[in-house]
Amino acid sequence: GGDDTLSPYSWSYSWDTADTFDSITTAVCSDNAGNTAITTFTVNRDVTPPSGEGIIYTDGYYRTTNVAIALVTGTDFESGVNTVSDFIERQAATLTKDSCGTFGPWSPLVSDPGAFYTDTTVTNGNCYKYRYTIRDNVFNPATHEPANIAKIDKTPPDTTIDSGPSGTVSSTSAQFTFSCVGEICASFECKLDTESFSTCTSPRSYVSLAQGLHTFEVRGTDIASNTDPTPATRTWNIDKTPPTTTATATSPPDGPAYTFNTATRNDVKVTFSCTDNPGGSGCSTTKYCTDTSNTCTPDKNPPVTIFTEGITLVRYKVSSDKCPTTKILFTIFYRYDLYRLSLNYLNLHKLPEP
């Protein structure tokens, strides 16, 4: 100890860093008349920070621009917790395709936040980490930094159909593949025509579909549970009914109607007309050829005028509509040797001039 003769009266004690002991101190005060007063007190050295402190927030995705935080001040059995010395710090990184980029430095967020705090300064498309520091009454700090990451994602995914039928087809089966643009979708829901949306995966297949128009819809939901509000849509038409072709003739070409398999002394003009089924894809082509042996391949566009004396055979293949697959269904009609109908053969007996 020692004496302090100058007012205000004080005395300083110092410890080495490794010291942990307490000190009992006696102070004697004397006035100028020699009167004294004695008091005893204990000086404790406190180098232990508080314990049990914590910061609590949900790890994962947020579809709002606020993060709710709960705080635990902990305990300190030496100098006690200084409940107004605490503060929160935050790190931020960019959220891209469901992954966080490089986090920046820690920056102060709020001091003396209380038991609960809501961070309303977060922005969509970013990741955030938080840490909490509290001190005891001699300012020993304790910091709690959880591994949690708050990912702010308010943007719904954009679902796209990658493959599948479109336009007019003849197949009664359909398969669609689909995905989300620029991110990973956690799940999908599909819908066909008037059905309700139901869980599905890519690819999605359908069989035994009815002829006519169909509409397929699909919507994705991302990892943050945002669902695409505008599902991807594909409409297509199934056409399995072949068109019909009718052959008519006039003789002479600009004259009255001619009856097939009858004799005439004039040239004959043969015209073909195609009619597709209601709701079909429409007629595309009708081809014909002429010979006397019934072996030619129809490759010419109508109409045709017959002016050769004798019997002329006119072969034509039924018009195919605009559905490529439907053409295959018509191959049976190309086999003229099996279908020698009067409509398919024109027997012309051109009589000599009187």
Side-chain angles (χ1 to χ4, degrees):
D3 296 333
D4 183 4
T5 59
L6 298 176
S7 178
Y9 305 105
S10 65
W11 192 258
S12 296
Y13 295 84
S14 61
W15 285 272
D16 294 332
T17 302
D19 290 341
T20 59
F21 61 85
D22 299 335
S23 174
I24 298 176
T25 302
T26 300
V28 179
C29 297
S30 302
D31 59 15
N32 290 322
N35 301 306
T36 61
I38 300 174
T39 185
T40 300
F41 57 91
T42 301
V43 177
N44 300 315
R45 184 168 190 264
D46 179 4
V47 294
T48 304
S51 61
E53 78 292 337
I55 181 169
I56 303 167
Y57 60 96
T58 301
D59 180 36
Y61 286 88
Y62 291 72
R63 289 188 292 160
T64 59
T65 50
N66 57 76
V67 177
I69 300 171
L71 302 161
V72 179
T73 57
T75 57
D76 189 279
F77 296 105
E78 296 187 38
S79 61
V81 176
N82 187 330
T83 57
V84 297
S85 68
D86 56 342
F87 58 91
I88 301 174
E89 296 172 288
R90 186 181 73 183
Q91 278 184 312
T94 301
L95 176 63
T96 304
K97 292 185 178 181
D98 306 308
S99 297
C100 298
T102 302
F103 281 88
W106 289 102
S107 59
L109 179 63
V110 61
S111 296
D112 190 17
F116 299 97
Y117 178 77
T118 299
D119 183 6
T120 60
T121 63
V122 296
T123 57
N124 186 39
N126 284 312
C127 302
Y128 296 94
K129 291 181 180 180
Y130 298 88
R131 70 182 181 185
Y132 175 61
T133 299
I134 191 166
R135 300 183 177 96
D136 61 15
N137 285 310
V138 293
F139 275 67
N140 293 308
T143 299
H144 181 230
E145 181 184 334
N148 294 4
I149 299 176
K151 299 178 180 179
I152 313 302
D153 183 0
K154 294 179 57 180
T155 305
D158 180 18
T159 314
T160 182
I161 297 174
D162 301 313
S163 66
S166 62
T168 299
V169 300
S170 64
S171 175
T172 58
S173 299
Q175 184 181 83
F176 295 91
T177 61
F178 39 86
S179 60
C180 288
V181 179
E183 64 176 306
I184 300 172
C185 271
S187 63
F188 291 94
E189 292 180 308
C190 295
K191 177 180 182 294
L192 180 66
D193 298 332
T194 59
E195 297 176 354
S196 299
F197 277 103
S198 60
T199 302
C200 61
T201 57
S202 180
R204 178 69 167 94
S205 298
Y206 298 93
V207 297
S208 302
L209 298 174
Q211 178 166 291
L213 288 173
H214 294 278
T215 300
F216 171 75
E217 298 177 68
V218 58
R219 63 189 182 191
T221 299
D222 62 18
I223 298 176
S225 297
N226 298 301
T227 298
D228 188 352
T230 56
T233 301
R234 178 74 62 85
T235 297
W236 78 106
N237 183 33
I238 297 177
D239 180 9
K240 289 182 63 64
T241 303
T244 57
T245 300
T246 302
T248 59
T250 55
S251 180
D254 296 327
Y258 165 76
T259 301
F260 291 103
N261 292 321
T262 63
T264 178
R265 66 176 66 246
N266 299 307
D267 294 344
V268 178
K269 180 179 180 181
V270 182
T271 304
F272 304 92
S273 62
C274 173
T275 302
D276 198 14
N277 58 294
S281 58
C283 294
S284 177
T285 60
T286 299
K287 298 292 185 178
Y288 81 91
C289 66
T290 60
D291 66 2
T292 59
S293 60
N294 195 26
T295 58
C296 66
T297 300
D299 60 355
K300 298 180 178 62
N301 295 320
V304 55
T305 300
I306 307 299
F307 52 84
T308 303
E309 185 176 351
I311 296 176
T312 298
L313 303 180
V314 179
R315 293 161 57 91
Y316 70 90
K317 60 181 180 182
V318 177
S319 302
S320 59
D321 56 12
K322 295 179 181 177
C323 176
T325 306
T326 307
K327 290 180 181 179
I328 298 175
L329 300 176
F330 294 161
T331 55
I332 189 171
F333 292 98
Y334 300 166
R335 298 173 62 185
Y336 298 101
D337 57 328
L338 298 180
Y339 290 84
R340 304 175 68 85
L341 304 178
S342 61
L343 188 63
N344 296 76
Y345 302 92
L346 174 60
N347 298 326
L348 297 178
H349 302 276
K350 190 170 183 179
L351 301 181
E353 297 293 331

